[in-house]
Every structure is written in C-alpha cells, then in structure tokens.
Amino acid sequence: MNLRQMEVFRAVMLTGGASGAAELLHVSQPAISKVLAQCRRQLGFALFLRVKGRLVPTPEAQALHVEIE
C-alpha cells in the first residue's frame, strides 16, 4: 500500500464509511471508492464488506488498522 491508500483506509476506518472519509479528506466519494478498489486489487483481498449499504471492516482490515495507527 502506498501512503495515499493508507490515508484513505485510515479515514474510512475512522469515519465508518466512504462518504465520511471523502468529507474528511476533501475529495469525492467515488475517489475514495476508487482507492479502495485499487487496494483490493493490489492486496488480493477485500478490506471492507458492504453490508446493508455500509462498509464493514474485515478481520484483515482491523489488523492492518492496528499496524497503521
């Protein structure tokens, strides 16, 4: 992961969603989704699952969040 991907990932974890992360980082929600998709392709696994329209962190995402913090 590059620095921007970590920044976006951390913002999503802190705010609980792509919209909140977009607001926090002053970018559009589609920009956040694009970075998360890049992360998924690069890492080979999903960091978030979409459940009832919300992003729910996977166990891998929770472990990564501890490392990033």
Side-chain angles (χ1 to χ4, degrees), residues 5-62:
Q5 291 169 331
M6 284 188 259
E7 181 180 41
V8 167
F9 169 73
R10 183 175 180 273
V12 172
M13 290 295 286
L14 290 175
T15 63
S19 297
E23 187 175 322
L24 182 67
L25 298 175
H26 305 287
V27 298
S28 67
Q29 184 274 324
I32 298 295
S33 295
K34 182 178 177 180
V35 171
L36 291 177
Q38 290 171 344
C39 288
R40 182 180 189 146
R41 283 192 305 275
Q42 186 177 7
L43 296 171
F45 56 87
L47 293 171
F48 300 95
L49 301 175
R50 189 166 296 279
V51 178
K52 296 182 182 179
R54 308 253 330 137
L55 293 178
V56 178
T58 62
E60 294 86 359
Q62 292 171 345

